[in-house]
Amino acid sequence: MARTASVQTKIGFTILAWAVALLLFSPILWTIVTAFKSEAEAIAAPPTFLPETFTLDNFAAVQDRSDYLKHAWNSIVVSVGSTLLGLVIAIPAAWSMAFAPTKRTKDILMWMLSTKMMPAVGVLIPIYLIFRDLRLLDTVHGLTIIMTLINLPIIIWMLYTYFKEIPVDILEAARMDGAELWNEIVHVLVPMAVPGIASTLLLNVILAWNEAFWTITLTSGRAGTLTAFISSFSSPQGLFLAKLSAASLLAIAPILLLGWFSQKQLVRGLTFGAVK
């Protein structure tokens, strides 16, 4: 009897999990379907789920209006570049907080986390003026810097959590063998924390890729990423849903594929040290 109840419980949770997954995926599915509709069918009332005739005209119109490959390249450079730069800064910082803490370490960690609670618009004016004076507006390296700064607290927090799970005795043994600080971090700490570092890298690439506020505010065309590419299809002349859906599909396709193929590594890294 208990076994039957257990099976029923598993079935119930499985159905619930699939229902939640489908609910979360439904906006993406609707975007994919709408991308292959005509504009008239996209705004039809009542709406239709599957298009009557599949068309690729929206994708052609999107490419004719904006250079997709240029925006995609900018997104790759900004997201990957900002994450790698953040890791270079965060790994030594997380090492010092995990293995050489002071009485202010927890206060610093909480302060860094509190910066993520501030609305981005609260620092828009000073950031914009600084970028204007330093001639960083509408530049890829300017976007890379701002993405590094806004995601750095998350990178440090994640790495700090992973590093805390590494036994201090291993690092002390490396020091006794004559390893200097740089060799200790590069040849001992980093290889042991590869799952955590990989998941941190993947998560922050996704965050930087999806960032819209700063990419739209600090660029006008030359350094625009795919989020700016999407926003260009919302104009005063009207909201072209089919073309907007096609642009959105082109923008999210690379990161969806990345998340799909790296999901095992991402889950492994996020649960690194959770189970003894």
Side-chain angles (χ1 to χ4, degrees), residues 61-107:
V62 165
Q63 180 60 30
D64 290 340
R65 177 171 173 177
S66 301
D67 189 349
Y68 169 76
L69 294 179
K70 172 187 173 183
H71 289 85
W73 175 250
N74 289 340
S75 289
I76 293 172
V77 172
V78 170
S79 57
V80 176
S82 63
T83 302
L84 293 178
L85 181 59
L87 286 174
V88 170
I89 299 171
I91 289 176
W95 174 91
S96 65
M97 293 179 180
F99 301 111
T102 66
K103 62 179 182 179
R104 298 296 183 187
T105 296
K106 291 185 178 180
D107 294 335

Side-chain angles (χ1 to χ4, degrees), residues 213-230:
F213 180 81
W214 292 111
T215 55
I216 295 173
T217 304
L218 300 178
T219 63
S220 57
R222 184 176 56 183
T225 61
L226 286 174
T227 51
F229 171 77
I230 295 173

Side-chain angles (χ1 to χ4, degrees), residues 104-172:
R104 298 296 183 187
T105 296
K106 291 185 178 180
D107 294 335
I108 294 173
L109 285 168
M110 290 305 300
W111 172 77
M112 286 191 299
L113 189 62
S114 68
T115 61
K116 297 298 296 180
M117 303 175 189
M118 178 186 299
V121 70
V123 292
L124 171 60
I125 294 177
I127 291 293
Y128 187 89
L129 294 177
I130 292 172
F131 269 55
R132 183 199 64 185
D133 295 341
L134 296 179
R135 297 184 179 181
L136 293 175
L137 290 175
D138 202 19
T139 61
V140 172
H141 52 277
L143 275 184
T144 302
I145 292 172
I146 194 66
M147 292 298 172
T148 302
L149 294 176
I150 64 177
N151 288 330
L152 190 59
I154 296 177
I155 300 176
I156 293 177
W157 257 96
M158 292 183 68
L159 292 180
Y160 168 78
T161 303
Y162 301 138
F163 289 174
K164 288 288 287 183
E165 299 298 329
I166 296 176
V168 182
D169 296 342
I170 298 178
L171 300 182
E172 291 178 349

Side-chain angles (χ1 to χ4, degrees), residues 26 35 59 120 145 154 183 212-213 228 261 271:
S26 57
F59 297 94
I145 292 172
I154 296 177
N183 291 326
F213 180 81
F261 287 111
T271 57

Side-chain angles (χ1 to χ4, degrees), residues 18-41:
W18 274 103
V20 173
L22 289 174
L23 180 64
L24 294 175
F25 185 70
S26 57
I28 299 176
L29 179 61
W30 189 263
T31 299
I32 294 173
V33 172
T34 306
F36 296 95
K37 296 179 180 180
S38 64
E39 288 292 349
E41 192 175 357

